[in-house]
Amino acid sequence: EGRVEIYHGGEWGTICDDDWNIEAANVVCRMLGYDGAWEYLHSGKFGPGEGDILMDNVQCTGDESIISSCQFNGWKNHDCSHHEDAGVKCNKIRLPGFHRNLQTGDEGLDFIRLKPPRGHRKRLPQLDGYVEFYHQKKWRKVCSTGWDLNTASVICGQLGFPRAKAIKLAYFLTRARARKKHYYWLSNITCIGTENKVSQCKFQNVDISAYNTCPGEPLITRCIPGPKYARGNFKKGGKRRKHRKHSPQRQETIRLKVGSAEGEGRLEVMRSGRWGTVCHRGWNLWAANVACRELGFGTAKREIINSYFGAGHGPIWLTDLNCRGNETQLSDCQHGYISTSECNHEHDAGVACYVPQFNANQRIRLVGGRNPMEGRVEVKIRKRWGAVCSNDWTMKEAMVVCRQLGLGFALHSLKDVYFFPGTENITEIAMTGIHCKGDELALQFCPSDGRSLSVCGDPHRSSTPFAGVICTELSPDLMQDIPLLQQSLHLEDRPLHNLYCASEEGCLSPSAAKMDWPYGSRRLLRFSTRVWNRGRADFRPARSQDQWIWHQCHGHYHSMAEFTHYDILDLNFTKVAEGHKASFCLEDSECSPGVSPRFDCDQPGGGVQGIAVGCADNYQYNIDCQWIDISDITAGNYLIRIRVNPGTLVAESDFGNNEVICNLQYDGSRVWAWNCHIPDDFDPEILIRY
């Protein structure tokens, strides 16, 4: 959202709001890469602009590709003031595959690398070498008269590394002098150390038309990588090594959640063994720099506010941060503690950090899709491209692929796909048996069976055994209401004559089939659940509407075979009883303030099912199958586990918060539940005590 400014004749200018309407706003938003406009604004809603008013009386049909294709009075022909500047609010959904082509005066300073000298092998990540910037189609060096830690720290930060290290000049200079030509662009870069990139430092330009214009030496830098990117963690080709058995595990106190790319996401910090968020009051680029370096990345590309990565949950540990930018930890900054009247989870802070470059996106591609966001997955192994076997292909592998390509989150993981081939007709299988956790840097870092065409696919099937993906920029994120679950747990002895429909849905233990129906009863552990969508996209059923199954006994459609798993576990995590909830009605039962419900299944044909962002789907304890049949378990201490979207059939930005576990005591006639928690919210020591 913002005031609309357009570039024409070498200058930026505004648009007058005369005749400004939603059709013109739609054109502007599509030019910016969004799927249309939500609202058009007038009368300088976002403040008056500067410079010329370039367009007036703009009249669009809404189908134009650029705003200048609409009818208007002619460039700079207007009768307006800047208090009439037009604005827009765009839909949050991005157009698939859209990439902005920004033109800025300092664009060359955003393209930086470390170049190893002659005789030194290039390694990824590249930790030391000559500092070079890409300017006017050449990589150019920086003229320097010495080495400065503050300047080197900023350079390393922009390269994705948290710190810089002193380097011996003689190590490089003998090789530097051996070269006859040097291309220079900048000289005398001077930083104070708190900048997030070189363009914010002081520097001078040199004459790029001549060679060897530097009176000193080319600038060299050596960087120290974060723990995740240490060279000892990688084999040849960039594959991660397994952790040594006796290496000490680093205790995390800061992390990023639900980002669509490496080094970005909602910021969370640990206090007293529990993860919580940071309020965006006082959140600025200096604080974001400190957080990124503490995370093991470089400096911050940008600080992010207003829960851009989705609302968190649990405590908000920090607010009113006041960082100088040179602190080693976020907790070293001056800060206040949370007041719930001032901050809530709509104000969670996030960051996007500079990360080391591995060129991992150059070793994977999507082929044959309808747009750049989808296709058959092909990987490059030893200079040869090949397809990926779809055996064991799940949403977690698809998530890694989309992140590796910089295309956001996975929307669908596709098996046995056939997309029209691209430039090459690849039929060879390059990888089989892939098993990812979902947070790997690249698909090649996931455990796999390597190349084994003989075990891929079924020789009797007619479809291809290839894996594919469809990516998206936004994703939902489901989370359960823990207090409601804990407070509603209770027992009920229900007669068998009231359980015929539930039996047809498989909601009773197998022993129920051996009873003398309709006589007798089953003991049920009943409870209510409320599932919130805290992500940035709507949660929709795994099956399309034409695949929903009509259940005659209950008179409703099943849009997902299993939406939630309910399990009773012993203290060794062995399952002793189970239940499930078929998702017969995904809808917006309630919504956060200011959010309107959009999904309602009480319509012919099953309605429109889903959970909108900021809304929740409620299942009350008195609904069929909202229970676990515990008729066969004895008195004792147990755990109850509730897991939403258990098969990860629907893509989410974070699967770690889908599970809730409670301690449960059953004495044969009563139950007690306590310590209900999301395991991902606590450190291991707390979980062991639970």
Side-chain angles (χ1 to χ4, degrees):
E1 64 179 44
R3 180 179 62 248
V4 179
E5 297 190 352
I6 54 176
Y7 191 76
H8 175 73
E11 62 177 331
W12 287 97
T14 62
I15 299 178
C16 181
D17 63 9
D18 294 343
D19 295 325
W20 190 247
N21 57 23
I22 192 66
E23 284 77 17
N26 280 329
V27 175
V28 168
C29 288
R30 285 198 300 272
M31 289 179 68
L32 292 167
Y34 296 97
D35 185 19
W38 176 51
E39 186 178 1
Y40 69 96
L41 298 113
H42 52 82
S43 304
K45 175 70 175 179
F46 296 101
E50 298 178 349
D52 281 325
I53 298 174
L54 297 179
M55 300 179 73
D56 188 15
N57 295 111
V58 178
Q59 298 180 7
C60 304
T61 64
D63 298 326
E64 294 86 353
S65 59
I66 56 176
I67 193 69
S68 59
S69 297
C70 301
Q71 294 183 8
F72 64 102
N73 291 349
W75 296 109
K76 300 184 181 182
N77 186 8
H78 66 88
D79 57 356
C80 306
S81 70
H82 280 300
H83 294 288
E84 301 172 79
D85 286 342
V88 295
K89 289 185 178 180
C90 300
N91 294 332
K92 292 184 178 181
I93 300 175
R94 278 283 198 175
L95 294 175
F98 182 88
H99 298 286
R100 294 188 67 183
N101 182 20
L102 295 176
Q103 293 184 353
T104 63
D106 291 330
E107 64 177 346
L109 293 173
D110 291 329
F111 297 92
I112 183 174
R113 73 177 183 182
L114 293 179
K115 177 67 179 296
R118 287 184 176 180
H120 285 245
R121 182 166 58 92
K122 185 176 181 180
R123 302 175 64 183
L124 294 177
Q126 185 66 40
L127 300 179
D128 50 28
Y130 305 118
V131 178
E132 294 187 341
F133 293 92
Y134 193 73
H135 178 66
Q136 293 191 1
K137 300 182 179 181
K138 290 184 184 296
W139 284 101
R140 302 176 185 273
K141 290 182 170 57
V142 177
C143 180
S144 174
T145 56
W147 183 88
D148 176 71
L149 178 60
N150 290 335
T151 301
S153 295
V154 175
I155 292 171
C156 289
Q158 190 174 346
L159 288 164
F161 304 109
R163 295 182 303 281
K165 183 179 181 181
I167 192 167
K168 294 181 180 179
L169 297 179
Y171 180 69
F172 287 105
L173 294 185
T174 55
R175 295 174 175 82
R177 295 191 182 102
R179 299 192 62 176
K180 295 181 180 180
K181 295 180 180 180
H182 292 305
Y183 297 98
Y184 289 96
W185 179 35
L186 304 177
S187 69
N188 298 323
I189 298 178
T190 305
C191 307
I192 61 176
T194 59
E195 298 90 347
N196 72 316
K197 56 183 180 179
V198 174
S199 61
Q200 296 178 346
C201 302
K202 296 180 179 179
F203 55 85
Q204 297 175 344
N205 295 95
V206 300
D207 183 9
I208 64 173
S209 62
Y211 303 123
N212 300 323
T213 55
C214 178
E217 302 289 351
L219 179 64
I220 57 176
T221 297
R222 172 173 289 174
C223 302
I224 301 176
K228 189 174 184 178
Y229 298 94
R231 279 180 177 164
N233 289 336
F234 293 87
K235 294 181 180 179
K236 183 179 179 181
K239 192 171 182 179
R240 292 289 298 272
R241 290 187 186 272
K242 295 181 179 179
H243 290 291
R244 296 181 176 89
K245 292 183 179 180
H246 302 292
S247 61
Q249 293 295 320
R250 177 174 170 263
Q251 179 64 46
E252 286 185 313
T253 57
I254 186 171
R255 69 182 182 184
L256 296 178
K257 297 289 286 186
V258 302
S260 62
E262 183 74 5
E264 71 173 37
R266 181 178 65 243
L267 187 67
E268 295 188 353
V269 295
M270 180 174 284
R271 297 290 184 274
S272 303
R274 184 171 185 181
W275 291 101
T277 60
V278 177
C279 178
H280 69 205
R281 282 168 54 102
W283 190 244
N284 54 30
L285 199 58
W286 291 279
N289 280 341
V290 175
C292 285
R293 291 183 189 274
E294 186 180 356
L295 286 160
F297 302 116
T299 49
K301 295 180 183 177
R302 57 190 179 275
E303 76 280 16
I304 296 168
I305 61 174
N306 290 328
S307 300
Y308 176 84
F309 293 106
H313 62 277
I316 302 175
W317 287 127
L318 298 175
T319 185
D320 296 309
L321 281 156
N322 183 12
C323 300
R324 299 185 303 272
N326 57 1
E327 295 87 350
T328 57
Q329 301 180 80
L330 206 59
S331 58
D332 295 337
C333 301
Q334 293 182 4
H335 60 270
Y337 293 96
I338 192 63
S339 170
T340 54
S341 63
E342 298 173 346
C343 281
N344 56 49
H345 285 299
E346 298 300 318
H347 306 135
D348 287 339
V351 292
C353 307
Y354 286 107
V355 299
Q357 294 300 311
F358 281 91
N359 299 326
N361 60 335
Q362 299 178 13
R363 304 186 64 82
I364 191 168
R365 66 187 181 188
L366 299 183
V367 175
R370 297 164 295 181
N371 59 63
M373 302 288 283
E374 67 178 25
R376 184 177 69 242
V377 180
E378 294 182 358
V379 294
K380 189 176 184 180
I381 306 292
R382 298 185 181 90
K383 299 183 179 181
R384 294 185 62 182
W385 287 97
V388 174
C389 179
S390 62
N391 289 3
D392 305 317
W393 188 252
T394 68
M395 192 65 70
K396 292 183 178 180
E397 286 75 37
M399 289 174 67
V400 174
V401 169
C402 292
R403 284 170 60 93
Q404 184 177 351
L405 287 165
L407 298 178
F409 300 99
L411 180 62
H412 295 292
S413 60
L414 307 175
K415 288 190 172 186
D416 307 336
V417 298
Y418 178 80
F419 287 107
F420 289 106
T423 55
E424 302 175 49
N425 189 2
I426 299 292
T427 58
E428 182 181 356
I429 297 295
M431 294 182 71
T432 65
I434 306 173
H435 295 279
C436 300
K437 294 184 298 181
D439 61 352
E440 288 86 355
L441 297 174
L443 194 67
Q444 289 87 344
F445 296 171
C446 300
S448 69
D449 298 334
R451 299 171 61 186
S452 181
L453 180 60
S454 61
V455 298
C456 179
D458 182 351
H460 301 291
R461 66 185 175 188
S462 57
S463 57
T464 63
F466 300 146
V469 297
I470 299 177
C471 302
T472 180
E473 289 201 1
L474 304 177
S475 187
D477 183 18
L478 298 187
M479 191 186 67
Q480 300 181 61
D481 190 319
I482 295 177
L484 177 65
L485 170 65
Q486 186 165 328
Q487 296 164 10
S488 61
L489 280 159
H490 66 280
L491 295 178
E492 179 189 2
D493 291 326
R494 191 165 182 83
L496 284 178
H497 62 78
N498 288 333
L499 294 172
Y500 278 102
C501 284
S503 178
E504 287 185 16
E505 288 196 31
C507 298
L508 300 176
S509 297
S511 62
K514 302 176 183 178
M515 297 184 67
D516 185 16
W517 288 71
Y519 307 106
S521 64
R522 303 295 295 182
R523 174 154 291 182
L524 308 176
L525 177 64
R526 309 203 70 151
F527 45 84
S528 300
T529 58
R530 180 183 291 123
V531 181
W532 287 96
N533 180 3
R534 298 301 191 191
R536 300 179 61 217
D538 297 334
F539 184 93
R540 301 301 301 272
R543 296 173 176 172
S544 59
Q545 191 160 354
D546 60 334
Q547 296 175 316
W548 295 354
I549 299 174
W550 174 257
H551 193 267
Q552 184 63 40
C553 189
H554 278 136
H556 56 240
Y557 280 95
H558 286 187
S559 57
M560 292 178 68
E562 294 179 351
F563 177 59
T564 313
H565 277 179
Y566 309 140
D567 299 319
I568 299 291
L569 314 172
D570 65 19
L571 299 186
N572 290 323
F573 279 80
T574 301
K575 188 186 301 183
V576 296
E578 64 181 1
H580 73 274
K581 186 62 188 177
S583 174
F584 68 88
C585 177
L586 277 176
E587 65 178 0
D588 298 331
S589 305
E590 65 176 286
C591 298
S592 300
V595 180
S596 300
R598 297 193 295 110
F599 294 103
D600 181 6
C601 62
D602 292 331
Q603 297 176 13
V608 181
Q609 296 195 23
I611 309 176
V613 176
C615 295
D617 187 16
N618 295 351
Y619 290 114
Q620 297 297 325
Y621 64 84
N622 56 355
I623 299 176
D624 258 7
C625 298
Q626 190 63 26
W627 64 58
I628 303 175
D629 185 351
I630 63 170
S631 304
D632 302 325
I633 72 172
T634 59
N637 290 318
Y638 298 94
L639 302 172
I640 179 172
R641 181 176 64 192
I642 313 296
R643 184 181 293 165
V644 181
N645 192 17
T648 63
L649 297 178
V650 179
E652 296 185 52
S653 57
D654 181 18
F655 293 113
N657 58 1
N658 286 21
E659 181 177 281
V660 172
I661 296 179
C662 306
N663 289 94
L664 184 75
Q665 187 178 35
Y666 173 50
D667 70 356
S669 59
R670 295 172 296 177
V671 289
W672 296 265
W674 70 100
N675 281 345
C676 290
H677 64 281
I678 298 173
D680 193 49
D681 287 351
F682 296 89
D683 70 11
E685 293 183 1
I686 298 291
L687 294 179
I688 290 173
R689 291 206 297 270
Y690 281 163

